[in-house]
Structure formats: structure tokens, C-alpha cells
Amino acid sequence: MAKNVYKFGNGQAEGRADMRNLLGGKGANLAEMNLIGVPVPPGFTITTDVCTTYTKEGRDAVLKLINDEVKDAVAHIEELTGTKFGDKENPCLVSVRSGARASMPGMMDTILNLGLNDMAVEGMTKKTGNARFGWDSYRRFIQMYGDVVMDLKPKNKEDIDPFEEIIEAMKEEKGIEQDTEFTVDDLKVLVLRFKEAIKNETGKEFPTDPWEQLWGAITAVFDSWMNDRAILYRRLNNIPEEWGTAVNVQAMVFGNMGDNSATGVAFTRDAATGEDLFNGEYLINAQGEDVVAGIRTPQQITKEGSLRWAKLAGVSEEERASKFPSLEESMPAAYKELNETQHKLEEHYQDMQDLEFTIQEGKLWLLQTRNGKRTGAAMVKIAMDMLKEGKIDEKTAILRLEANKLDELLHPIFDTKALEQATVIAKGLPASPGAATGQVVFFADEAEKYENSILVRIETSPEDLEGMNVARGILTARGGMTSHAAVVARGMGKCCVSGTGGIKIDYKTRSFVADGKTYKEGDWISLNGSTGEVYDGKVITKNPDLSGDFGHIMDLSDKFTRMHVRTNADTPKDAQVARNFGAQGIGLCRTEHMFFEGERIKAMREMILASDEEGRRKALDKLLPYQREDFEGIFEAMAGYGVTVRLLDPPLHEFVPHQQATQKELASEMGVAIDVIRSKVAELEEFNPMLGHRGCRLGNTYPEITEMQARAIIEAALNLKAKGVDARPEIMVPLVGTIKELKLQADIINEVAEKVFEEKGARIDYKVGTMIEVPRAALTADEIADVAEFFSFGTNDLTQMTFGYSRDDAGKFLPIYIKKGILKNDPFQVLDQEGVGQLVDLATKRGRETNPKLKVGICGEHGGEPSSVEFCNGVGLDYVSCSPYRVPIARLAAAQANLKQG
């Protein structure tokens, strides 16, 4: 029979680190820490397979499946702790936490102090001689259980948490500010009020039976795998639903037993910058949720961190040392052990670790370790530093990086001169670096209200995830460097300033006050996530410097890659940007984008509206010099590399005016009646233009268009050759479905090239190929390769035609398809390897059977998406092509793919 529960404790464990798929990341690491001698409270892990069974078969089936194993595992905790689950004199209390194989901080649910009831709290008080600790633990348990299991949450977004509302009212009654100021009697009153609120709002009594509590908590964790925030996080981070989550049950250790107890979160290196500095935050006389929730602003673990914090916060050394000492100063023995443990864990895992710990009456316990979430800049620095330190090799450094996170390093930063002129209105903690300028919003579900928004919250919670993803930056009044806002923002690469105590937020009026000025929803502010400064209004940005560690990563990528990266660029400026990022050529230059400016669009419309070939040629003669000039600029920017120019692709109706005013203007310019213009526009209308008169169909219907474009390309290359510039044109015929379509176009191109060579008395090398975007072309690739010298897969259209989805209309149903599991990803963003990918593979093989020298690449949006790049490497493509700012991502992804595939 399959094993569903794995025990650990007292230096022994049934699991280990490499079992994360079954035990989840947390469960696997709890087992591993036991095995390497790190102090971990005993417990057990219920496997991810049980979560899958729960999702398919429901609660009753799962409880029957794991009942005996869970009871045996609870007995294991009792034996190691000398306590009894459900006993009123000597109760065994446990925590219940989620733990997926991929880290999902804050996305699922946690319950602490489980096992308490009215009798057990008295027994615990008697046993410890600490009544405040007992009742504080009890009220925390009711609060967490009431929220997570019994679903007592705010009724609407303007309301605060109902339990926090009760706490705040009690503080007001008592004239106090901190939770730690509550007396034992106050805590007893809170417990009664919490229970009354649960009964009034849910109609249910709070459960007193510890076993009922435990089963409720376990199933609530499984349920949380399918909550909205977890689903969204999985979608944003490409985590499959079928992975499921494990459940970790551990004996409680308490950071709220008095001033010799504490709880905290730490990182072995700086998760924001990558600096090799042990750092983190802690709270004395608290439990773990207090630190990450941001309700109390925590203190720094190291003295160095505390000194830096005080400088940022404008706190004097005298005040820092007396009111906000570091753990290193306040509990030196516990700090020494924690520091030794963090060194041990980083050395063992060979990566930056994110730790959760509790100090109970002076004794250190580790509750979790995992590879820490980090910004793109920190990711690059940590990998390169560990390489230099000899901890990892070059291949490991490359494979450890998350290609998409490089995008964070490519975003603009604030201009130094602009910052000198900016007005600072508040200062908080630099929780996640970057520059963000946007309009203020106060609620996560309204972040899309403005194109550039800044989400301003008292503190964030996991429910705010979608808004945090949409917003340009995040500003919170509460919370430290390890609060929910800080951790999630760093994982997303979002600029974040947290713990900004100088701002006062009012959700009801949708406003906040900073430096005496009121800012309302829609007002502009700017955030500096590297310094923690908040500025009034907009601040100008500039492009970042990409040398140093970033440059070394790119050099390493080139060392290990097989497939090179090109760019999609239609202007010399874009081509130069891409070349600076390391692009080796242009995989797609769209000529239609060159026709929309000034006199060009007039000549284009004149060509379209002409009644005969002579009229079309006359208009095309006007377009020729514009096209030639454009190509010269692009070829020069990408000198020495191939430039794939796609001949005219869109249907002609996209170039004609559809508004009456512009139709009237065109009629006047051309000296014809407006009815002539209207008639021609109506004639060009198509029922399904994306499958209509476009691509090679235009070129074969109006060969003079292809002639003009071919001449412009060849003449531009020859003009540059005369200047000593190495231009390498590759002429691509779009939307081919049959060999005859391509042959007709290739014949025109080759005839024009020979004419130009004769006229100029000089020659250049050029290639003629095609864009494979029609499924029939993929299936008959062996025939098409008789004519084509290269294939470039236009996976945007190939996806449209393979699925039968209109890319322009798919937004109406694709989100629903993904939500229902019909599709795992949007196929226009992530290549459909099972369908579209098979056509790419088939066409590549068949094409090379005919022409072994056939060059093959991809130029759709998928060319910059890492999993799609990996697929392209696997099927033997020569290059991928993507937008300029995706080039570094594609370069790294190509190297990673080659290393993985050997």
C-alpha cells in the first residue's frame, strides 16, 4: 500500500531533500534539516498525492485513506515531545502548514497552536506558569482557524479583517497601542468576542475537539490549493495544478512565551540586491505570522542590518540601541547559533536560503528553509558570486537562473538629475528595487483602472496578488523587509516600498496624507525601491547599465549555446537596441510598418486605389526610395548578420481610411469624388481578412508590389556594399501554402535581383525563403524546401490556423479555457508543443530531407518565451527571433536548453 505520511524528528526522517515532488519543498527540507543536524520540531508530512486524491475524490475518501497513518504520526510527535494530543493537563499543540513542490509564499493557509480549547489553555497556563502566553496563543489560534477553516473574512474590500476590528476596538477601550500590552483578562475577553463573532457570522460553534480541529485544518490546506490567489500565483509562475500541495504538521514551538522568546525570517544573502549579507527580521514575544503580516514593524537580525535600517528610518543610534536592538545584540547566544545554522544551510544547499525560525525561551528552532525568492538583479549577482567563490560551476550558474527574471534588469531606472529635482514626500524601507511612476489606487481589484498604477495599501495580503501583478509598484504603510508585500514584490520583480510609517491611508475616502499633502486616487507618485523614497508626481527614467555581472551571464550563455538569437525589428533604432543586447541578426523585419508615415501612406493609398497596373506602378515608384532608405538603415545597424525581410503581409484594407473625414481628405488629394474612395474601401472589405487577400496572395495578384520591394532590398544592400558595409539580406515570402505560390514569388525576386545586378555592375549574396505559418506548408515542407533556402516559423499565425482561434477574438474565451483546464497556457504566449510544435518539428525534418543546408528559425512571439525556446532547441532550429527587450532572456534560455538537452 502507498505511503501517505512521512515522519521526521529528533535527527531522523523518513523523507529527504530530493523527495520534493512527493513531500513538497517544505516537507522535503524539514526532513533534510533533521538529517543534517539542524534543530527542527518533530512532525509529519502528508504527501502531494493525497492532495490530488482530495481534489478528485473529496474529503471523506481522504480522511478514510490517511486516518490510521495520521494517528500514528501524531503519536510519534507525542512520544518525542512528552505531551498528549487532546490532553487538558499536558496538551500537544501543533502547527498545520501547506508546502507545494514550488515555493508559493503566502498563497496558501497556515494554522498555529492547534489543539487548544478552554480546558487545554488552563493546563498550558498551569504547566508553563505563564497565563498571558497561554491566552495569547489561544486567541491567535481562534483567529487563524476562524479565518482559514470557518471562513470568517471581511465582507467587502473597504472593511478590515473582522478579528483585527475586534482587536482594534479593544485597544481603543483600553487606551493601548500594541498587542503586547493586553493583560490576561483582556485576552480572555478577546477569546470570548472572537467565538461570538464566529457564531454570529457563520452560525457554527468554534470546535473544541482537537481531532476535529486537526482534520478541519488539514482539509483547509488542501482546499487552499484551489483558492483564487493560489490559482493566480500558479498561472503567473507556470506551476501545474496537478502538482498539488503537501500538508506539514509539526509540534508547536513558541516565540510568544515572553522576552526570552522570539520569531523571525532570515535570508542568507540579500534577496533584493544579492549582497552577501546575512539579513532578516524578528519580533520578541511574537509568533511567525506577526512578522510576515506586517502588523508590527519588526527589528533587524544583525547589528549591521539594524544600523542600515536606522539610517534609512532617520532613527538615532541611542534610540535604535534602546528601542530597536538587533537579535545579535538582544540575544547574542541565540544569534550565534542562528548565524552558524544559516552558514551550514547555505553550504549544504549551495544556494541562498530563506529561513523561518523561532526562539523558545532561549532555544533556537528552525521551522523552514527554502531557496529564497529574489529579484532579477539579486539572482544574477548571487549566481556570479557563488561561481567566483567556487561554490558552483559555470553550468550550474546558468541553469540556476530564471530566464524571465532578466526582464527586470532591462527596465528603466530613475534619471539621477531628475531625482535631484524630485520632492520626497515619505520614506520607507527599500523592499524591492526598481523605479515606478504611476497613479494611486487603493484596492487590488482596481489596479487596472490606470495604465500605470501604484497600489497603496496599509499592508498587503495574499488576496492582493492580482493587483500587485498589474501595478507598476507597491507602497505600504506597515511591514518590514520580510512582510508579504516585500517577499511577493521581490518574487515578481516589482518595485516596492514598505513600512512607510509617514503616510496615513484612508480607504473610505480613497486618499492618503504624506508630508502634509493629501493624495487622492488617480494622483501621480513615484517610488524608488532601491532607497525607499516616495516622490511627488512623475520622475523621469533612463535605461539601465547592463555591464558587470549581467554581461558575464550573457558571455556564459554564448559559451554554452548552440542556437543563436535574432530580433524582430522594423527600424534601425530597434535593430541597434537588439544588437546591443546581443542579437545576431534580424529574424523578422515587417515591411508594412514602414508605410504608415507622412507621404508614404499617401503613396500607399494611391497604389491601392489605382484602377490599373500602370497606376499602381506609378505609386510604387514613389514608395521605392522610402523602402530603400529604410532597408539601408536596418542593414547597416545589423551589418555582418542576416536580416530577414518579410514582404508585404497584411490585407490592403488596413492601409485605407475608414473615417469619412480622412476619406474626404484623400479624395481631395487624388482629385476624385469621395464616392470613388468609398467604393474602393468597400470593395477591399473581407469577411475574414486574416485568411483573405494577403501575404503571397497579394504578391502573386499584384507582382509589381513584390518587384518594388525586391528592388528596394537589393539596391539598399548594394549601396551599403559600395560603402564597405556587409549587408546580408534574406527575403521572406509570407503565408505560402503551396510550392507554386512560393515559386512564382521567388522567380520575381530573382529576376529583379539580376536586373539590379546588371544595372549596378555589382552583386551581393542574398537568400529567398518563406514563412511557415499555414499548416499545409508545414505538411508539404519537403516540396517547399526545393525552392526555399530558409524557413522561418511564424508561430502567431500558425497557432491561429492550427487551433482555428482568431488571435484578436480569443480573449473572450481563452481565460475561461485556462481556468477550466481545457488549455494549460495561452497558446499565443507559450508554444503549443503537442500540436503546433509537432508541425514545427515535422516541417523542419521534411525540409532538411530535401535541403540539408536549410536554415530554420522561429519569429513569432514565442521566440522569447523560455519553454518555447527550449522546444525549438530540441527540434534543431538554428535560431529564435524575438522583440529587442526579450533578446537577453532568449539568449539565456537557449543556453539553458542546450545544457539540459545535452
Side-chain angles (χ1 to χ4, degrees):
M1 191 172 81
K3 185 174 177 61
N4 299 301
V5 176
Y6 287 73
K7 300 186 289 256
F8 56 83
N10 199 29
Q12 298 183 341
E14 294 176 337
R16 56 185 186 275
D18 61 2
M19 295 173 69
R20 64 186 302 116
N21 290 2
L22 184 66
L23 302 180
K26 187 176 294 180
N29 286 334
L30 286 169
E32 188 77 5
M33 283 195 289
N34 264 278
L35 296 174
I36 64 171
V38 173
V40 174
F44 59 91
T45 301
I46 303 171
T47 69
T48 56
D49 288 348
V50 177
C51 182
T52 304
T53 303
Y54 182 87
T55 304
K56 290 178 180 175
E57 300 180 27
R59 175 188 170 103
D60 292 345
V62 159
L63 297 193
K64 184 179 178 182
L65 175 70
I66 64 174
N67 182 72
D68 292 345
E69 287 183 86
V70 167
K71 287 187 173 175
D72 176 63
V74 168
H76 165 74
I77 296 176
E78 292 173 331
E79 182 183 344
L80 291 179
T81 58
T83 57
K84 187 72 178 171
F85 194 60
D87 190 86
K88 63 182 180 181
E89 303 292 338
N90 186 25
C92 174
L93 304 185
V94 297
S95 64
V96 181
R97 291 181 170 93
S98 63
R101 70 170 85 167
S103 176
M104 296 173 62
M107 294 306 112
M108 292 179 291
D109 294 322
T110 293
I111 295 167
L112 306 180
N113 310 329
L114 188 144
L116 280 173
N117 55 31
D118 291 350
M119 292 182 292
V121 72
E122 296 291 357
M124 190 164 148
T125 296
K126 187 176 177 183
K127 178 183 174 185
T128 62
N130 189 338
R132 194 190 184 287
F133 156 66
W135 285 94
D136 182 52
S137 299
Y138 193 20
R139 73 91 184 163
R140 290 169 180 275
F141 170 50
I142 296 171
Q143 183 173 350
M144 283 190 227
Y145 198 92
D147 173 14
V148 172
V149 182
M150 305 189 79
D151 205 32
L152 182 56
K153 300 181 188 294
K155 290 180 179 176
N156 59 62
K157 64 190 180 186
E158 282 88 5
D159 290 343
I160 66 169
D161 177 89
F163 296 107
E164 288 299 323
E165 191 172 8
I166 294 169
I167 290 171
E168 291 302 317
M170 187 83 168
K171 284 180 184 174
E172 200 169 322
E173 284 175 35
K174 297 291 177 180
I176 60 176
E177 293 185 3
Q178 298 291 334
D179 297 2
T180 49
E181 296 176 81
F182 284 131
T183 65
V184 173
D185 287 339
D186 294 339
L187 293 168
K188 288 180 178 180
V189 173
L190 278 179
V191 164
L192 285 174
R193 290 183 183 179
F194 281 2
K195 286 183 176 181
E196 285 170 6
I198 290 169
K199 181 72 165 69
N200 292 339
E201 295 298 326
T202 69
K204 297 175 184 175
E205 296 284 354
F206 188 81
T208 57
D209 176 16
W211 281 103
E212 183 184 347
Q213 295 171 357
L214 181 59
W215 293 122
I218 289 170
T219 55
V221 170
F222 285 144
D223 285 332
S224 69
W225 178 249
M226 295 304 293
N227 69 31
D228 289 343
R229 64 181 186 262
I231 290 169
L232 175 63
Y233 190 91
R234 289 200 298 273
R235 179 167 62 79
L236 293 174
N237 292 277
N238 295 316
I239 299 170
E241 181 184 305
E242 59 267 23
W243 280 5
T245 181
V247 178
N248 298 287
V249 179
Q250 271 182 288
M252 278 299 304
V253 287
F254 299 96
N256 61 328
M257 289 187 77
D259 290 344
N260 62 349
S261 299
T263 187
V265 176
F267 298 88
T268 60
R269 300 187 187 221
D270 192 313
T273 66
E275 182 184 0
D276 188 4
L277 176 73
F278 180 42
N279 66 100
E281 295 171 328
Y282 79 105
L283 284 169
I284 288 176
N285 197 17
Q287 289 198 312
E289 290 300 296
D290 297 340
V291 179
V292 295
I295 294 166
R296 285 168 62 189
T297 298
Q299 293 158 233
Q300 298 297 306
I301 286 176
T302 65
K303 184 176 180 181
E304 172 63 23
S306 186
L307 291 169
R308 293 186 185 189
W309 168 82
K311 186 177 179 181
L312 285 168
V315 173
S316 70
E317 172 56 16
E318 184 181 357
E319 185 181 3
R320 183 205 71 78
S322 62
K323 293 183 180 178
F324 309 107
S326 66
L327 183 69
E328 185 175 359
E329 295 164 292
S330 62
M331 295 185 182
Y335 170 78
K336 183 174 182 290
E337 188 180 357
L338 177 63
N339 192 31
E340 289 168 354
T341 301
Q342 67 95 4
H343 279 299
K344 182 176 189 175
L345 287 169
E346 182 172 284
E347 198 63 36
H348 182 75
Y349 286 100
Q350 295 290 287
D351 200 355
M352 185 267 277
Q353 294 298 291
D354 168 0
L355 320 173
E356 290 181 23
F357 66 90
T358 288
I359 299 166
Q360 177 177 307
E361 296 183 313
K363 169 142 178 70
L364 175 70
W365 296 94
L366 266 288
L367 306 180
Q368 171 167 292
T369 190
R370 60 188 172 195
N371 292 340
K373 294 284 183 185
R374 62 204 75 178
T375 63
M379 172 188 75
V380 169
K381 179 168 174 52
I382 290 168
M384 293 309 296
D385 282 355
M386 286 191 160
L387 175 62
K388 291 168 193 169
E389 292 161 15
K391 290 187 174 180
I392 58 175
D393 60 21
E394 290 180 339
K395 292 181 180 179
T396 303
I398 286 292
L399 290 171
R400 177 165 291 175
L401 300 171
E402 190 179 334
N404 272 329
K405 288 190 78 67
L406 288 184
D407 186 46
E408 297 167 28
L409 279 71
L410 311 178
H411 290 298
I413 57 175
F414 285 133
D415 181 77
T416 310
K417 290 182 181 177
L419 281 181
E420 290 172 3
Q421 306 297 317
T423 302
V424 178
I425 59 170
K427 194 161 187 179
L429 297 172
S432 185
T437 293
Q439 291 171 273
V440 171
V441 295
F442 292 94
F443 301 103
D445 61 350
E446 297 179 8
E448 290 183 317
K449 188 177 280 190
Y450 305 108
E451 185 178 351
N452 297 297
S453 63
I454 302 289
L455 180 62
V456 179
R457 300 286 292 165
I458 295 171
E459 72 246 352
T460 63
S461 72
E463 280 73 21
D464 295 326
L465 180 67
E466 187 157 16
M468 294 173 75
N469 183 54
V470 171
R472 295 285 182 184
I474 300 139
L475 172 65
T476 69
R478 296 181 190 162
M481 297 287 282
T482 57
S483 64
H484 174 268
V487 172
V488 173
R490 285 195 293 269
M492 288 180 167
K494 292 279 179 183
C495 173
C496 177
V497 176
S498 65
T500 315
I503 66 172
K504 303 300 176 193
I505 298 169
D506 187 333
Y507 289 148
K508 297 281 187 186
T509 61
R510 296 179 178 235
S511 66
F512 75 88
V513 177
D515 199 27
K517 179 178 176 180
T518 299
Y519 291 82
K520 295 186 177 296
E521 181 177 274
D523 289 345
W524 287 84
I525 62 171
S526 299
L527 307 180
N528 189 332
S530 302
T531 65
E533 289 176 320
V534 184
Y535 308 106
D536 179 61
K538 301 178 185 179
V539 178
I540 297 168
T541 59
K542 65 176 183 178
N543 289 328
D545 176 26
L546 296 175
S547 56
D549 287 337
F550 182 91
H552 292 149
I553 288 291
M554 291 295 97
D555 290 342
L556 280 181
S557 296
D558 292 343
K559 178 177 179 178
F560 291 111
T561 197
R562 178 198 63 80
M563 185 171 63
H564 61 268
V565 177
R566 292 188 173 197
T567 190
N568 301 340
D570 310 327
T571 67
K573 181 182 175 184
D574 284 348
Q576 191 58 56
V577 167
R579 184 161 190 155
N580 292 344
F581 283 146
Q584 297 181 32
I586 292 178
L588 176 63
C589 175
R590 293 159 285 222
T591 53
E592 60 271 11
H593 289 182
M594 302 170 177
F595 293 132
F596 284 99
E597 296 174 14
E599 296 300 315
R600 303 171 184 220
I601 190 64
K602 292 180 182 178
M604 187 66 180
R605 287 169 173 171
E606 187 182 325
M607 186 275 293
I608 293 168
L609 296 170
S611 57
D612 55 23
E613 182 181 333
E614 184 182 350
R616 286 192 294 275
R617 287 189 180 276
K618 184 179 175 184
L620 287 167
D621 285 343
K622 295 179 184 178
L623 284 170
L624 175 62
Y626 295 127
Q627 285 263 277
R628 183 172 56 231
E629 182 184 355
D630 287 336
F631 293 139
E632 284 180 14
I634 290 169
F635 290 155
E636 188 163 11
M638 204 53 79
Y641 291 119
V643 175
T644 301
V645 179
R646 182 178 71 184
L647 300 181
L648 189 64
D649 183 48
L652 296 178
H653 81 87
E654 289 192 9
F655 298 96
V656 295
H658 294 273
Q659 286 76 37
Q660 184 170 334
T662 46
Q663 288 179 348
K664 192 173 182 180
E665 184 184 330
L666 181 62
S668 174
E669 286 174 359
M670 293 187 66
V672 297
I674 191 170
D675 287 345
V676 174
I677 304 295
R678 286 178 184 157
S679 174
K680 191 67 176 180
V681 170
E683 182 187 318
L684 290 171
E685 288 291 334
E686 295 180 292
F687 288 110
N688 193 343
M690 296 315 291
L691 295 178
H693 195 189
R694 56 172 285 223
C696 67
R697 299 157 201 167
L698 275 176
N700 284 321
T701 310
Y702 305 123
E704 54 272 18
I705 296 177
T706 302
E707 289 174 22
M708 182 278 288
Q709 290 200 290
R711 176 172 282 276
I713 292 166
I714 299 298
E715 286 183 352
L718 284 170
N719 288 348
L720 289 177
K721 181 181 180 181
K723 296 178 185 178
V725 177
D726 181 12
R728 302 183 184 183
E730 299 170 355
I731 303 172
M732 182 162 69
V733 180
L735 218 69
V736 161
T738 71
I739 179 68
K740 289 183 179 178
E741 284 178 310
L742 177 59
K743 181 130 187 3
L744 280 171
Q745 288 290 284
D747 287 348
I748 294 168
I749 294 163
N750 291 329
E751 285 170 15
V752 168
E754 288 302 322
K755 280 183 189 174
V756 175
F757 293 159
E758 192 174 328
E759 291 165 9
K760 299 279 187 180
R763 304 181 72 86
I764 48 106
D765 290 329
Y766 69 96
K767 286 184 168 62
V768 177
T770 187
M771 204 166 181
I772 304 287
E773 47 196 331
V774 176
R776 191 182 189 281
L779 295 170
T780 59
D782 51 340
E783 295 179 7
I784 289 172
D786 261 335
V787 175
E789 294 174 90
F790 66 86
F791 286 170
S792 179
F793 290 98
T795 48
N796 299 339
D797 268 344
L798 188 58
T799 298
Q800 281 198 111
M801 295 194 193
T802 303
F803 275 98
Y805 297 163
S806 162
R807 187 171 42 160
D808 298 323
D809 302 309
K812 296 172 184 174
F813 61 86
L814 273 182
I816 298 165
Y817 268 38
I818 292 166
K819 188 174 182 180
K820 290 189 171 183
I822 297 170
L823 295 173
K824 287 186 179 179
N825 301 291
D826 180 341
F828 294 107
Q829 294 178 6
V830 179
L831 185 69
D832 163 45
Q833 298 181 17
E834 295 173 356
V836 178
Q838 294 311 301
L839 289 174
V840 171
D841 188 19
L842 178 77
T844 301
K845 287 174 179 171
R846 289 188 176 178
R848 284 179 174 156
E849 283 172 5
T850 300
N851 178 5
K853 294 182 180 179
L854 185 75
K855 185 166 69 176
V856 185
I858 179 176
C859 63
E861 290 301 315
H862 305 95
E865 193 283 311
S867 68
S868 306
V869 172
E870 185 173 337
F871 174 82
C872 292
N873 188 77
V875 298
L877 268 57
D878 296 301
Y879 69 87
V880 294
S881 187
C882 57
S883 61
Y885 282 91
R886 299 292 291 181
V887 166
I889 295 166
R891 288 171 69 191
L892 175 57
Q896 290 174 329
N898 197 44
L899 286 171
K900 288 176 189 174
Q901 295 165 352

